[in-house]
Amino acid sequence: MKALAATGDRTLVRFAETSEPTPATDAAVIQVEAFSVNRGEILAMTGAYGTPTVPGTVMGQDVVGRVVAAAADGSGPAVGTRVVGHAEGGGWAERVPVPTSALVELPDAMPTTTAAALPLAGLTALRLLRHVEAPADKKALITGASGGVGHYLVELATAAGIAVTAVAASPERGARLAELGAAVIHDVTDADGPFEVIFESVGGDVFADALARIAPGGTVLWFGQASLRPIRLSFFEYLTVSPFTLKHFPHWVADTTDAEDLRVLVDLTAQGRLHPEIGRVADWAETASVLADLNNRRIRGNAILTIDA
């Protein structure tokens, strides 16, 4: 079958012929109709996390399509069911196995491209918000807010009663965040704190500037380092500040399954209470150029690639 494999060079991916999936007994095989690409996948391929992805590896987690082979253990959706899934990898391909614990059936009316934007970014935002106790009337600062996670997080947080200040690099990138109820600023140093909650995903000086605006007893949820610059912390700068909590947040650690949380995201979207921000839709033949644009922040929100049958 055809798939997009990592190249190990600046092009990042190219088409290759790969073997058909060999699913585990608890996984269904999905005929992929669309997938979302995420900046984390780019960072993995380029080696920002350490060793670059091995050339020939097929990346991809966020997929939408139809079940063409049901799970052998009898779990999950039947053949022909239209689903959204959070694959363990290999999603940039014509077919991919996905554990049934990470698959959810889609309503007929939900567009394929809308559903494809939900998994990784949506799961991250939903799970981040669960770390905020008694969210109503709290003040929160969200850095790097114009990406896929940021849009979901702003909408979910404002719906929970949180007063959100969102940092976006430009008025154009912040316009949609304002529509979702956030007070938008373009530099974290302009933030009018203090904030009981800080959602930080940029790193470098942005982390330190955000932390300087923490309320006594507040919580910092650290879920990324998009700038690729290490954070800076000095104990003595906060010696006279009431204790705050710094939580490292990996999105895949949760008390719920991906399927359970994908169902929440699908239902909220179907009810018109969650609105995926899709900045680009293109044929999967354009994946390499879309990855370049995403990496250089020329895409606001999610980027979706479609596969024609």
Side-chain angles (χ1 to χ4, degrees), residues 29 46 59 61 75-77 82 93 103 106 115 128 137 165 189 205 210 236 244 306:
V29 177
T46 57
M59 307 291 288
Q61 296 178 274
S75 64
R82 184 166 169 262
L103 276 178
L106 287 173
L128 274 166
D137 299 323
T165 296
T189 59
D205 291 339
F236 298 106
F244 61 85
T306 60

Side-chain angles (χ1 to χ4, degrees), residues 117-156:
L118 290 174
L120 192 146
L123 291 171
T124 301
L126 185 67
R127 291 169 178 175
L128 274 166
L129 195 58
R130 288 186 181 141
H131 285 262
V132 181
E133 296 182 6
D137 299 323
K138 277 188 166 67
K139 289 181 63 175
L141 176 66
I142 302 175
T143 65
S146 60
V149 175
H151 280 88
Y152 287 126
L153 189 52
V154 166
E155 187 164 19
L156 291 169

Side-chain angles (χ1 to χ4, degrees), residues 29-31 33 65-70 77-83 105 108:
V29 177
I30 310 306
Q31 182 77 36
E33 297 174 359
R66 290 188 182 274
V67 176
V68 292
V79 170
T81 305
R82 184 166 169 262
V83 292
E105 184 174 352
D108 292 338

Side-chain angles (χ1 to χ4, degrees), residues 216-298:
T219 298
V220 180
L221 287 159
W222 181 28
F223 69 102
Q225 193 165 295
S227 70
L228 304 184
R229 298 185 181 94
I231 66 170
R232 177 180 58 82
L233 283 176
S234 170
F235 178 82
F236 298 106
E237 288 183 28
Y238 302 98
L239 192 61
T240 60
V241 175
S242 295
F244 61 85
T245 299
L246 173 60
K247 287 186 178 181
H248 170 235
F249 174 86
H251 76 271
W252 56 89
V253 177
D255 295 330
T256 49
T257 66
D258 286 353
E260 290 172 313
D261 286 344
L262 281 172
R263 170 53 59 199
V264 172
L265 295 168
V266 167
D267 288 348
L268 288 172
T269 304
Q271 296 162 13
R273 297 164 58 195
L274 189 66
H275 300 83
E277 182 70 11
I278 299 175
R280 181 80 57 84
V281 176
D283 184 87
W284 74 322
E286 300 178 43
T287 300
S289 63
V290 170
L291 289 171
D293 285 346
L294 185 65
N295 194 38
N296 289 293
R297 305 188 186 286
R298 293 191 286 263

